[in-house]
Amino acid sequence: MRFVNSVRRTRDAVALSAIILILLCGSQHAAASVHFDKETNVFRLDGGDITYVIGLNRQGEVQTLYWGERLPENQQFPAAQAISGLSSFEMPVNTTPQEYTGWGGALYVEPDLKVTFPDGNRDLVLKYVSHTTGEDRIDILLKDISRDVYVTLQYQIDQQTGILRRSADIENRTKQPFTIEQVASGTWNLPRNTDYRLHYVTGRWAGEWSLQSQPIHGGKTVLESRRGTTGAQNNPWFMIDQAASDDQDQGRVWFGALGWSGSWAITVEQNALQDVRITGGPNSFDFAYLLKSGDHFQTPQFYGGFSDKGLGGTSRLLHRYETDRILPNSPSRKLRPVLYNSWEATTFNVDESGQMALAEKAASLGVERFVMDDGWFGQRKTDHAGLGDWYVNPQKFPHGLKPLIDKVHALHMDFGLWVEPEMVNPDSDLYRKHSDWVLNFAGRPRTEGRNQLILNLARPDVHDYVLQWLDKLLTDNDISFIKWDYNRNWSEPGWPAVPVEQQKNIYIDFTRNVYDILAQLRKRHPNVEFESCSGGGGRVDLGIMALTDEVWPSDNTDAYDRLVIQDGFTYAYTPGVMMAWVTDSPTWVNQRTLSLEYRFLSSMQGSLGIGANLNKWSPEDIALAKKMVADYKSIRETVQRGSLYRLRSPREGEQSITESVSRDGQQAVVFAFLHSSTENYPFPRVYMRGLDENATYALRPLAGKVASNTPTAATGAYWMHRGVDLELRGDFQAMGVILQRK
Ligand code: DGJ
């Protein structure tokens, strides 16, 4: 076999580094390890509690052999063997669990890569060439059987969580350009089982993050966005468990998440042998990418992991990975400050005196960051005009932003500002000057959403313009935070300025340029933090998360609706990035009236913000808010960085309960909500999780009352097995409890 020689070349180095690693680390879980067995051509990656095994079969295909619980170090794996097809209708390429397939030969399952060459040939069959290994990574080089198309499969395993990060680099070493028509980061193959359930989220504006669960049957389920951006309708994340347990913290779960903020697709497919495979990457709908001779195409990262601790344990693993590996400045990133945002209070009617008055009130509550939302620029009086003209509106701010920023600083808060850089209103100076800068097909109508069009960020001049004005804004003003909004999805995704065969590159180049602008701004202004917002939670994924510090999950700020939204959100993303504002009651969303305490407790499950019109708050409201803000500061480390347990889901029944346990195990916080009392039943007893059985914890209500016979201190075992009774009765009631380790 061709690959054996190159395999041998690296084997000594691999074996040596494995020995050195074991000697250095001492303990099995202390380090990730990567091992290659030259006899069997089997690669093994270990990290956290996970082992991932792949092998090279005789056909030179890279085959998944195992993904699950960490196995003993001395466990050998037999060599990979292609799995024979079922009949003449299912050739082995369709039944062999390959890590990466080119569309060619008799492939019918979802391919990872499909290309068209200039001569019309569309056959691509990828075979192993060589590999390299590092401490925690493997690169496997594949090549087409006859043409110089090279694909490097890149794997990196995280030592702490065992989460794998995968992507593929496609290189055109032929003499001519070719067109990529479909490209994925890779395929995950699950162990053979027929009782899998798929969990994913669906949504829409003001109704994001609805968790869906369904059995996996034969055929395909496609989660996707064709919108040019991540979208709220699906999110590029999934979990798959076995239907064995309904306990949140039990059962085997596999999960994946794409780091891509453009159109994307994740295809979950059960093949003819009932094996489940999941392929993910940029969406292939209307897609093409012209790859010139000598160029590389790097796919987005596709993250995948496994936990035997149920959906709850799996999301805790993901939260930790996001906090420690993905987010900017991780693992030592700052906790989220308590923020005030002007949007719901003033909408577009911002001005110097009005914002200063709100800032004074916000500061008196203990708020740490004051954010002025939409309305401060151009001729922005409504959503009909101004986007694109990023000068300070002289009527609203006759002396520029400086007096307001100085005032905010004098009140010991930092200052944040709203922008929407990718958009333009037709009623703007920018559009009057550069109407060719938007996505469009020549001579066709341009569909407006919220009276705005989308600037084609794929264009180098547009990229440069946006980077330049944002850079200047941050250079000229002492701004600590940018809320980056994006209030519509694509239409007419044309790019008439480039040759026809390159026009569809827009799907990739646009998103790459958004990332580039953010990366450059972060580099030039390292103290500025960013929030990803898209009319709510329309752009939340691990790609944008690597460049932003927090996200806005939804424009729906009804504190009861938020329980469900936040529940769905935290399956995939950490509460440490989940902004949650306390807003006015009745809410604009449902006209529902909720107590201020309830609204605070709901928001305190994430990163607390206040978005209400403070001018309307009574002295009693202000006093309560001060107390809640102070309490939040004493628990935010636990909420934002700790382990989240879902004790009762708001999607089922009349109660909702979450618990967060701090990383150091010193504190636990419970939030409990009663939607409606019925038939005089008591609130169910709360059995905590994740505590140290033998440690003693003192209990303090954060709000509300516990049953009178509740001890003021007890062991973790008591709180977990005997539990605590909460005095909750009525409709839309809420309370919180803090356990502090003694
Ligand atoms: C949509 C955002 O989600 C809101 O929070 C607010 O910033 C508005 N846009 C402003 O136009």
Side-chain angles (χ1 to χ4, degrees):
M1 294 295 300
R2 271 181 74 195
F3 57 81
V4 174
N5 287 340
S6 38
V7 161
R8 284 203 178 118
R9 277 202 296 277
T10 50
R11 73 172 191 236
D12 293 343
V14 174
L16 187 63
S17 50
I19 291 166
I20 292 171
L21 265 179
I22 290 163
L23 289 175
L24 281 177
C25 306
S27 111
Q28 190 192 20
H29 289 210
S33 79
V34 166
H35 180 74
F36 178 70
D37 184 334
K38 65 176 171 47
E39 304 300 334
T40 52
N41 290 321
V42 167
F43 299 91
R44 173 174 166 163
L45 298 104
D46 293 276
D49 295 329
I50 294 168
T51 297
Y52 192 81
V53 185
I54 48 190
L56 311 171
N57 64 25
R58 288 182 164 277
Q59 286 67 27
E61 296 162 344
V62 186
Q63 200 176 317
T64 316
L65 297 179
Y66 176 81
W67 186 20
E69 289 84 351
R70 191 158 178 156
L71 299 173
E73 263 172 56
N74 58 3
Q75 180 60 58
Q76 301 289 311
F77 262 83
Q81 239 176 34
I83 300 190
S84 57
L86 205 56
S87 67
S88 59
F89 295 97
E90 300 293 344
M91 273 63 101
V93 279
N94 299 293
T95 45
T96 301
Q98 291 191 59
E99 292 274 305
Y100 206 88
T101 50
W103 184 76
L107 190 82
Y108 312 121
V109 293
E110 196 68 19
D112 293 285
L113 182 61
K114 180 178 186 315
V115 303
T116 295
F117 295 96
D119 62 357
N121 172 46
R122 306 192 305 280
D123 188 53
L124 184 77
V125 178
L126 299 168
K127 300 270 164 136
Y128 171 87
V129 177
S130 63
H131 71 265
T132 57
T133 55
E135 201 173 292
D136 58 356
R137 57 193 309 149
I138 304 176
D139 283 0
I140 303 177
L141 183 66
L142 313 178
K143 181 190 169 297
D144 176 61
I145 48 176
S146 72
R147 301 201 173 199
D148 284 340
V149 179
Y150 286 81
V151 177
T152 308
L153 308 185
Q154 301 160 332
Y155 299 83
Q156 184 172 26
I157 190 155
D158 178 48
Q159 132 179 14
Q160 193 179 46
T161 58
I163 291 179
L164 278 150
R165 199 178 85 148
R166 295 177 66 170
S167 63
D169 174 84
I170 294 131
E171 188 185 357
N172 179 0
R173 290 197 215 162
T174 71
K175 300 241 164 350
Q176 287 180 291
F178 61 73
T179 302
I180 299 175
E181 289 168 342
Q182 180 163 354
V183 61
S185 305
T187 293
W188 304 102
N189 294 291
L190 298 191
R192 180 164 296 164
N193 273 309
T194 51
D195 58 349
Y196 284 125
R197 293 184 301 195
L198 171 68
H199 308 270
Y200 59 102
V201 287
T202 56
R204 60 181 169 84
W205 176 76
E208 300 89 337
W209 309 106
S210 301
L211 188 73
Q212 310 293 344
S213 302
Q214 66 194 45
I216 298 182
H217 297 301
K220 285 181 190 170
T221 301
V222 181
L223 313 176
E224 66 166 3
S225 160
R226 298 181 176 193
R227 295 165 177 266
T229 189
T230 321
Q233 289 63 25
N234 279 175
N235 186 269
W237 161 89
F238 68 87
M239 281 185 191
I240 294 175
D241 70 345
Q242 289 180 264
S245 170
D246 275 327
D247 186 309
Q248 267 278 317
D249 298 322
Q250 280 181 31
R252 306 177 82 207
V253 183
W254 292 260
F255 62 94
L258 264 178
W260 185 240
S261 316
S263 294
W264 58 273
I266 293 177
T267 304
V268 181
E269 182 174 15
Q270 198 187 54
N271 73 7
L273 299 182
Q274 295 187 310
D275 288 339
V276 175
R277 58 197 301 281
I278 306 111
T279 306
N283 199 319
S284 57
F285 178 80
D286 190 45
F287 179 82
Y289 192 91
L290 186 75
L291 192 66
K292 296 194 181 125
S293 171
D295 279 3
H296 289 253
F297 180 97
Q298 181 75 47
T299 71
Q301 303 291 345
F302 201 2
Y303 301 86
F306 167 82
S307 168
D308 63 359
K309 302 200 171 43
L311 301 175
T314 307
S315 44
R316 288 191 286 279
L317 207 62
L318 252 171
H319 296 170
R320 181 158 289 218
Y321 185 76
E322 289 157 3
T323 308
D324 292 354
R325 297 281 181 267
I326 301 244
L327 285 159
N329 305 319
S330 56
S332 50
R333 76 189 207 103
K334 287 193 301 201
L335 292 174
R336 298 297 79 220
V338 178
L339 160 163
Y340 178 81
N341 179 291
S342 66
W343 174 246
E344 290 201 19
T346 54
T347 63
F348 301 98
N349 304 318
V350 295
D351 62 21
E352 191 178 284
S353 60
Q355 294 294 298
M356 283 184 177
L358 284 171
E360 275 176 15
K361 295 221 158 71
S364 77
L365 304 180
V367 166
E368 297 156 310
R369 170 172 289 166
F370 182 85
V371 184
M372 178 160 65
D373 209 280
D374 199 349
W376 59 270
F377 54 91
Q379 291 307 308
R380 187 80 163 164
K381 296 189 186 82
T382 65
D383 60 15
H384 282 78
L387 286 175
D389 299 340
W390 297 102
Y391 60 86
V392 180
N393 180 293
Q395 285 83 42
K396 297 177 181 184
F397 297 92
H399 316 289
L401 293 177
K402 191 166 186 317
L404 175 61
I405 295 178
D406 287 349
K407 171 85 178 179
V408 166
H409 288 161
L411 291 165
H412 307 293
M413 298 183 289
D414 67 34
F415 181 78
L417 196 62
W418 179 96
V419 296
E420 194 173 4
E422 295 141 282
M423 300 290 167
V424 64
N425 287 117
D427 185 0
S428 67
D429 295 342
L430 183 73
Y431 190 72
R432 282 182 278 273
K433 201 165 159 202
H434 292 294
S435 62
D436 56 330
W437 274 13
V438 298
L439 304 188
N440 75 94
F441 289 118
R444 305 288 300 174
R446 300 173 179 193
T447 306
E448 293 178 20
R450 208 195 191 201
N451 312 302
Q452 61 200 54
L453 297 167
I454 300 188
L455 290 173
N456 181 357
L457 264 278
R459 288 176 62 124
D461 49 0
V462 177
H463 162 276
D464 294 351
Y465 167 78
V466 170
L467 175 60
Q468 178 269 327
W469 75 255
L470 277 165
D471 184 32
K472 184 163 175 357
L473 179 75
L474 294 177
T475 305
D476 293 351
N477 300 284
D478 194 350
I479 292 172
S480 304
F481 173 78
I482 288 288
K483 174 176 171 180
W484 183 307
D485 207 345
Y486 184 89
N487 279 302
R488 57 159 295 183
N489 294 145
W490 287 19
S491 58
E492 299 93 22
W495 184 3
V498 295
V500 172
E501 58 279 11
Q502 201 188 319
Q503 290 185 2
K504 289 183 176 174
N505 286 24
I506 194 169
Y507 283 106
I508 297 296
D509 293 354
F510 186 112
T511 304
R512 283 184 181 162
N513 276 351
V514 173
Y515 289 165
D516 181 72
I517 292 170
L518 275 164
Q520 294 216 40
L521 291 173
R522 294 201 77 98
K523 208 158 153 204
R524 295 181 202 180
H525 306 279
N527 296 324
V528 178
E529 295 192 328
F530 292 83
E531 177 180 284
S532 173
C533 170
S534 176
R539 186 154 61 186
V540 183
D541 61 79
L542 296 186
I544 203 78
M545 208 180 252
L547 291 157
T548 51
D549 303 273
E550 60 188 51
V551 302
W552 181 232
S554 180
D555 273 357
N556 185 340
T557 54
D558 179 300
Y560 170 68
D561 282 3
R562 267 295 178 118
L563 298 181
V564 181
I565 288 171
Q566 293 174 177
D567 179 71
F569 180 95
T570 58
Y571 272 83
Y573 303 107
T574 165
V577 298
M578 183 177 75
M579 291 312 294
W581 304 343
V582 174
T583 54
D584 285 317
S585 179
T587 54
W588 67 266
V589 196
N590 300 311
Q591 292 303 311
R592 181 181 285 123
T593 301
L594 295 166
S595 73
L596 186 58
E597 195 167 72
Y598 186 108
R599 284 175 273 149
F600 261 100
L601 289 167
S602 169
S603 295
M604 285 158 84
Q605 293 182 302
S607 300
L608 178 66
I610 298 175
N613 187 348
L614 299 179
N615 297 321
K616 291 193 190 151
W617 280 17
S618 67
E620 293 75 34
D621 291 340
I622 300 273
L624 177 62
K626 268 187 200 170
K627 177 190 169 303
M628 298 304 267
V629 168
D631 278 341
Y632 180 72
K633 289 177 183 169
S634 74
I635 58 164
R636 72 174 143 191
E637 167 117 32
T638 302
V639 171
Q640 294 183 21
R641 288 174 53 82
S643 297
L644 175 69
Y645 293 84
R646 295 182 198 90
L647 305 187
R648 265 175 195 259
S649 162
R651 286 172 289 110
E652 299 151 11
E654 289 300 336
Q655 310 87 19
S656 161
I657 312 173
T658 64
E659 179 196 355
S660 299
V661 181
S662 65
R663 281 202 186 190
D664 63 6
Q666 292 299 308
Q667 191 183 62
V669 187
V670 173
F671 294 100
F673 301 85
L674 174 60
H675 314 155
S676 180
S677 276
T678 50
E679 297 169 357
N680 202 19
Y681 286 117
F683 193 82
R685 184 165 290 170
V686 178
Y687 299 95
M688 290 165 194
R689 293 194 173 186
L691 304 179
D692 179 344
E693 298 247 345
N694 299 312
T696 301
Y697 299 84
L699 180 145
R700 169 168 84 86
L702 184 56
K705 277 199 275 182
V706 292
S708 55
N709 64 347
T710 308
T712 51
T715 57
Y718 182 92
W719 300 123
M720 292 196 289
H721 307 315
R722 178 342 180 136
V724 58
D725 292 317
L726 308 181
E727 299 272 322
L728 279 172
R729 198 168 283 272
D731 294 344
F732 298 119
Q733 300 297 309
M735 69 172 288
V737 163
I738 303 177
L739 288 185
Q740 199 71 45
R741 192 176 179 140
K742 290 205 173 194

